[in-house]
Amino acid sequence: MKTEDMAINIFDENGGLKDKETVLKETAKVYDDLAEEQKSIESEFSSSDLFTTPELQVDISKTFETHDFYCRNIYITDEITDELCLVACKTIDFYEDIDNKDGVPVEERKPINIIINSPGGGITAAYMLIDKMKNSLTPVNTITIGEAESAACLIAISGTKRFANKHSAFLIHQGQASINNEAGKVVDWLKYYDSIILKQMKEHILEDTKISKTDYDNKVREDWYLTANEALKYGLIDEIIGGLKI
């Protein structure tokens, strides 16, 4: 139906108002014509047309990207690397900058969500992101949806609010390393790792969780796996949830 055909004139040819019944009848006819046209259009397409007709197809990857952008979701679902954490840091900067420029009060800001399912990775890369999270005026929540092991666990416990799905798993340990270098340099690196990295990890975990110093010292030298319920008990997370909606 053309646009001009949808117009309803409430005045008669002499410039006076048409009676109400006539106007209602003309309105009803336009509505019926539009409804019939809509039905005809819908009958021309089937569900399979969504997959076979180019004009109707949706770019799923771009749709998901748009959804994540709107929801402020950052996914960490791979090994923790400098590259991955740098992208996450830049994304946090972006959202915080928007909130700052819009003058949104801190308590009213929409949180950024870091969604985690990672076996861990580089601890220095993890702390690059952790420092960014803790320095952000816009809250940065963490949601563990699978595993948060080693360096990923350190990220998971660092959120403003920390959530996990009920079947999530966490791993705390002293890390692992494979070193191939001159003996003196290996000794120097081990001293650095023991005196700086392990000390930093211990202080961080004791500060951001309910784990006692005794429990930490007794369990951390081996792989300490925790279920979501145990993570809640020891204060690694604040709440167990059923999905991404919080």
Side-chain angles (χ1 to χ4, degrees), residues 16 60 65 77 99 105 109 120 137 140 153 157-158 184 201-202 227 235:
I60 298 299
E65 287 174 7
T77 55
D99 289 340
R109 295 186 178 191
L137 292 178
V140 183
C153 183
I157 68 173
S158 302
M201 281 176 53
K202 181 176 181 178
T227 64

Side-chain angles (χ1 to χ4, degrees), residues 17-31:
L17 278 173
K18 294 180 181 178
D19 62 90
K20 186 176 181 180
E21 185 178 351
T22 300
V23 173
L24 289 175
K25 283 182 179 179
E26 291 178 356
T27 302
K29 184 178 184 309
V30 171
Y31 178 88

Side-chain angles (χ1 to χ4, degrees), residues 1-7 30 34 37:
M1 179 180 285
K2 296 180 181 179
T3 304
E4 55 266 26
D5 294 333
M6 291 187 286
V30 171
L34 284 171
E37 186 175 300

Side-chain angles (χ1 to χ4, degrees), residues 6-64:
M6 291 187 286
I8 298 171
N9 193 348
I10 63 173
F11 297 100
D12 59 26
E13 56 187 13
N14 298 317
L17 278 173
K18 294 180 181 178
D19 62 90
K20 186 176 181 180
E21 185 178 351
T22 300
V23 173
L24 289 175
K25 283 182 179 179
E26 291 178 356
T27 302
K29 184 178 184 309
V30 171
Y31 178 88
D32 290 341
D33 289 344
L34 284 171
E36 190 63 32
E37 186 175 300
Q38 181 66 30
K39 189 184 299 182
S40 173
I41 292 172
E42 290 175 353
S43 66
E44 293 176 9
F45 298 100
S46 65
S47 347
S48 62
D49 291 323
L50 293 174
F51 305 97
T52 58
T53 308
E55 292 81 1
L56 298 178
Q57 288 178 18
V58 175
D59 187 325
I60 298 299
S61 62
K62 288 185 178 178
T63 300
F64 287 163

Side-chain angles (χ1 to χ4, degrees), residues 4 32-33 61 64 92 104 112 115 121 126 129 141 176 202 219:
E4 55 266 26
D32 290 341
D33 289 344
S61 62
F64 287 163
I92 292 172
V104 182
I112 300 165
I115 300 166
L129 175 55
N141 297 341
Q176 58 186 18
K202 181 176 181 178
K219 296 185 178 184

Side-chain angles (χ1 to χ4, degrees), residues 111-124:
I112 300 165
N113 301 309
I114 295 185
I115 300 166
I116 302 169
N117 181 28
S118 169
I123 190 167
T124 53

